[in-house]
Amino acid sequence: MKAKQLRVSQKKKDRRNKVFLQGGIGLAAIAIVVLVVVIIVNSIKPVGPGPKNMASDGVLIGEGMIAALTPALQPDATPRPSEPDPTGAVANIRVYIDYLCPFCGDFEAANTEQIAQWVDTGAATIEIHPVSMLTSRSAGTKYSLRSANAAACVANYSPNDFFAFSSALFVDQPEESSPGRSNDEIKAVVKDSGVSDSLSQINSCIDDGTYESWVKAATARSLEGPIANSSLKSITGTPTVLVNGKPYAGSIDDPKEFASFVQQALGETYSTSTPTPTPTSAPVG
């Protein structure tokens, strides 16, 4: 009789322990799920406003290499296209570039010097639109996205240095499918390109990926279209180059051909009192 009672008591104890064990496993599973959710939520950056001075999704740079200042674009706001010169006497050059794109590097090497000359003297404006079409082609580091974010950081904090920094990203440009530059290396390019204002804020902006959500949205807008003040429905690749709204389809590494296209786009409305764009004697390396 006593042995039977002991067996019954042991069975109740085993059943109780089993219930507690299952309950513990259940609670642990719930805790793991909650932890995973918290990690995911914390890793998703809330969509914030875009960078200042890029209300058109690009930075507009004019005479003296001075950038046009604009307020930040709010998350759900529609970009405001820059207004082209109404007289037609100034060449409005627009480029859509990916900092990992080798063809963008070719265009940049061939044309940076002459474009800078035209813009500095007031013969042209340049509007640069960084996009991240090659984010998946840098061995998992998302260099295309990170470099475009860095460009947005410079536009926000030191807009008059944007052209110099954007051009510097193409010097010793990383190859497609390579890891690209690290954030520390990008920050070194910022400093070496001559950016001196708000360096600590720019560096934090790069490390935090502050404008990555905006870069993705701006890239999507350029791929979906329409492209304002042009005949293009959308961009289909980089570089996409427009002069007074007309897409350039010539050689990307021939500065003379591009200069001829600029002159043709200006047409007879081009003012003879404004310095005429002419190609440089040699492309910049």
Side-chain angles (χ1 to χ4, degrees):
M1 185 69 174
K2 188 174 181 180
K4 183 177 180 181
Q5 289 175 342
L6 288 173
R7 287 196 299 271
V8 171
S9 177
Q10 185 62 42
K11 285 182 180 180
K12 289 180 178 179
K13 184 178 180 181
D14 291 343
R15 188 160 50 246
R16 184 176 66 247
N17 289 343
K18 184 177 180 181
V19 170
F20 287 156
L21 177 62
Q22 290 174 337
I25 292 173
L27 290 173
I30 292 172
I32 291 172
V33 170
V34 170
L35 180 61
V36 170
V37 170
V38 169
I39 291 173
I40 292 173
V41 169
N42 287 339
S43 67
I44 299 174
K45 295 183 177 69
V47 178
K52 290 186 292 186
N53 313 315
M54 298 189 80
S56 66
D57 282 348
V59 177
L60 178 65
I61 302 166
E63 188 172 357
M65 307 307 291
I66 303 300
L69 304 182
T70 65
L73 190 69
Q74 296 305 308
D76 297 325
T78 301
R80 297 193 299 275
S82 299
E83 295 183 6
D85 173 63
T87 68
V90 177
N92 304 122
I93 303 170
R94 231 182 319 166
V95 294
Y96 291 79
I97 53 174
D98 188 309
Y99 292 112
L100 190 60
C101 164
F103 302 111
C104 297
D106 291 342
F107 178 82
E108 184 79 13
N111 292 285
T112 293
E113 185 176 329
Q114 64 179 5
I115 289 175
Q117 289 176 351
W118 300 340
V119 174
D120 193 33
T121 58
T125 60
I126 177 78
E127 186 170 291
I128 301 172
H129 293 251
V131 295
S132 58
M133 296 178 65
L134 302 178
T135 296
S136 63
R137 300 187 186 180
S138 53
T141 72
K142 299 182 179 180
Y143 176 70
S144 171
L145 176 62
R146 291 186 296 107
S147 55
N149 170 73
C153 295
V154 173
N156 186 81
Y157 290 107
S158 192
N160 291 337
D161 293 315
F162 183 89
F163 185 90
F165 171 68
S166 180
S167 297
L169 282 175
F170 287 109
V171 178
D172 298 324
Q173 181 189 21
E175 293 184 3
E176 190 175 340
S177 299
S178 75
R181 294 181 173 98
S182 66
N183 281 355
D184 285 344
E185 289 170 330
I186 293 175
K187 288 185 287 187
V189 175
V190 173
K191 185 176 180 180
D192 293 344
S193 66
V195 179
S196 57
D197 293 339
S198 307
L199 270 178
S200 62
Q201 291 170 295
I202 291 172
N203 289 343
S204 296
C205 180
I206 290 171
D207 285 333
D208 294 343
T210 302
Y211 297 116
E212 287 185 1
S213 294
W214 172 84
V215 171
K216 292 176 184 178
T219 300
R221 285 191 287 265
S222 67
L223 290 170
E224 294 167 2
I227 303 301
N229 301 322
S230 82
S231 57
L232 282 183
K233 292 183 178 179
S234 65
I235 73 167
T236 56
T238 54
T240 293
V241 183
L242 301 138
V243 180
N244 287 10
K246 300 175 182 177
Y248 175 61
S251 171
I252 59 175
D253 56 4
D254 185 342
K256 292 184 178 179
E257 184 173 354
F258 182 61
S260 295
F261 179 79
V262 172
Q263 292 173 322
Q264 180 182 356
L266 285 171
E268 296 180 358
T269 60
Y270 194 81
S271 172
T272 56
S273 62
T274 304
T276 302
T278 54
T280 55
S281 58
V284 180

